[in-house]
Amino acid sequence: LGTTMCHSALADSFQGSALTGALARCSSAMGAGMILAPLIGQVSAKLGGARGAFSLCTLLTLTQLVTEWKILHLPRLVDEPACATGAAAGSSDGNGAAAAVVAAPPLV
């Protein structure tokens, strides 16, 4: 779910080669997190027990929030996102499920 949301947000914010670079950075960060998170969790749990692991998790979450808030600046969204081509975005199939609208990136 998080990967899909991240990729959707980036597709709404970037186009072309900027989107490719943003997706690469996002995927690299997610991969590093998947490898490092269990290691960091084990070390913090051994040093401080469950309370230490929770405290470290809270600290890392706050660090990420501050980093994204103060350092990372995404461009403003345009009125018509690049991925809203084809069928109307947000349309429903009658069962309450939203229809996914995905545009393939241009081949270069």
Side-chain angles (χ1 to χ4, degrees):
L1 182 64
T3 304
T4 302
M5 292 173 60
C6 179
H7 286 193
S8 295
L10 291 174
D12 287 345
S13 300
F14 298 100
Q15 294 178 357
S17 62
L19 174 61
T20 304
L23 288 172
R25 287 189 303 274
C26 178
S27 296
S28 295
M30 285 184 205
M34 285 188 268
I35 292 170
L36 295 176
L39 175 67
I40 293 170
Q42 275 296 334
V43 169
S44 64
K46 285 184 180 183
L47 295 177
R51 188 176 298 246
F54 182 80
S55 298
L56 182 63
C57 177
T58 303
L59 177 68
L60 292 174
T61 301
L62 288 173
T63 302
Q64 179 184 7
L65 178 65
V66 169
T67 300
E68 291 176 3
W69 186 282
K70 295 292 184 182
I71 297 173
L72 303 176
H73 300 286
L74 292 175
R76 290 185 179 265
L77 294 177
V78 294
D79 290 337
E80 180 82 17
C83 67
T85 59
S91 63
S92 176
D93 65 358
N95 296 324
V101 178
V102 179
L107 298 174
V108 179

